Structure formats: structure tokens, C-alpha cells
Amino acid sequence: MLIMLSLSLITLFITFIIMLIASTLSKKTIMDREKNSPYECGFDPQSSARLPFSLRFFLIAVIFLIFDVEITLLLPVASIMNITNIFSWLFTSTLFLIILLLGLYYEWYQGALEWSK
């Protein structure tokens, strides 16, 4: 037990030393204005590259992405209709659609789908 504990401590110590050496050797101390500025085909940038974007657009894009993935989950439902039991197929597809519609109505109710207020 003592040997295992000492080997673990030695391994931990060696790992810590290697990480410390790697972090000190990898530090870049030279701050260059050209390297910190955004690249625009070799020219000086005309304006700031850190322009704010619309949070409303980002939310609508995320909602679209989520519903797009859920639509891809709905595609196989039509192809397995003949293979499975009609009652279980109808129950699962209806339940999935109800969950999707409830999510859509909730987003609509919260006002996330409104482009401008």
C-alpha cells in the first residue's frame, strides 16, 4: 500500500513539474500590434472586427437549428409505418409532434420568435 501511494505521489509530482515547465516555456512575451490586429488581406483594418451582433438573431438561429434537428428525427417515422404496430407508431409519432408543438408554442409565448419589439 505504501509503495502504491509513493508511486502515485511521484507520478503526480513529475506531471506537475512537466506542466509547469511547459507553461513557462510556451509563454509569448512579445506583444506585437500587427499580430494582435485582425487580418484583412494584408491591409490595416478599416473598422473594429469586434462588432456586436444581434442576440435576437442568434436566438432565432439556435431555435431553427433545434427544430431542424427534430425534423430529421421525424423523417424515419414515415418509413417505419408499415413495419411496426400501427397503434405504437401512431402513439409515438403523435407524442413526439405534441412535444414539438408545445415547445414551439412556448417559444412563441415567451416572445423568442419576435424579430423586433
Side-chain angles (χ1 to χ4, degrees), residues 76-87 89-90:
V77 171
S79 65
I80 64 167
M81 184 173 74
N82 295 331
I83 301 170
T84 61
N85 183 6
I86 192 70
F87 179 73
W89 176 82
L90 189 65

Side-chain angles (χ1 to χ4, degrees), residues 11-30:
T11 305
L12 187 66
F13 181 72
I14 290 173
T15 306
F16 178 73
I17 294 297
I18 290 173
M19 286 174 51
L20 186 66
I21 290 171
S23 67
T24 55
L25 290 178
S26 68
K27 297 271 186 195
K28 294 182 181 178
T29 57
I30 300 171

Side-chain angles (χ1 to χ4, degrees), residues 20-95:
L20 186 66
I21 290 171
S23 67
T24 55
L25 290 178
S26 68
K27 297 271 186 195
K28 294 182 181 178
T29 57
I30 300 171
M31 296 298 285
D32 188 13
R33 184 183 75 85
E34 293 295 325
K35 288 185 180 178
N36 288 334
S37 67
Y39 180 72
E40 286 188 15
C41 302
F43 298 105
D44 288 331
Q46 294 180 357
S47 63
S48 175
R50 305 281 188 244
L51 295 175
F53 63 96
S54 172
L55 189 62
R56 181 72 64 191
F57 175 76
F58 180 73
L59 283 174
I60 288 178
V62 168
I63 291 169
F64 171 75
L65 184 66
I66 290 170
F67 279 105
D68 193 39
V69 169
E70 289 172 349
I71 292 299
T72 60
L73 292 174
L74 274 176
L75 286 176
V77 171
S79 65
I80 64 167
M81 184 173 74
N82 295 331
I83 301 170
T84 61
N85 183 6
I86 192 70
F87 179 73
S88 65
W89 176 82
L90 189 65
F91 178 72
T92 55
S93 59
T94 306
L95 184 66

